[in-house]
Amino acid sequence: ADAHSNLVHALEQHNPGWKVATYTSQIFYKRPAKGPVWVNTTAPTLDWEKRVAHTVSTLNSETDEPVAELHIEFRLIQGEL
């Protein structure tokens, strides 16, 4: 599952009144990918006071070396958009 759907699921489970308003993302390339790759996405970390959530997705080579990281920060609001 992708980072957004993981976060939406976490919000529905723990604080159903909260929604994702916007997000920003940055990708950091570490080395060229050679051959097959796979993605690992962390569970979202939530900071209710700052109204943000963060996830990190790592693109790994078949030798399990990270070739890129995608960092996403979601801004959260309460109620309807």
Side-chain angles (χ1 to χ4, degrees):
D2 67 12
H4 183 264
S5 62
N6 287 345
L7 177 58
V8 168
H9 180 73
L11 292 174
E12 288 172 354
Q13 295 269 317
H14 301 290
N15 274 335
W18 289 79
K19 307 280 185 229
V20 174
T22 62
Y23 70 91
T24 56
S25 63
Q26 289 183 297
I27 191 164
F28 302 95
Y29 295 97
K30 298 180 178 289
R31 64 183 51 85
K34 296 177 184 174
V37 295
W38 56 276
V39 175
N40 179 45
T41 301
T42 62
T45 57
L46 298 157
D47 185 333
W48 299 113
E49 288 182 22
K50 292 183 181 178
R51 296 181 177 206
V52 296
H54 297 90
T55 62
V56 177
S57 295
T58 305
L59 184 67
N60 296 292
S61 69
E62 62 184 340
T63 58
D64 209 22
E65 293 180 78
V67 295
E69 284 184 353
L70 173 63
H71 294 251
I72 304 176
E73 179 178 276
F74 298 92
R75 295 261 170 218
L76 307 174
I77 61 169
Q78 284 183 296
E80 297 297 318
L81 292 176

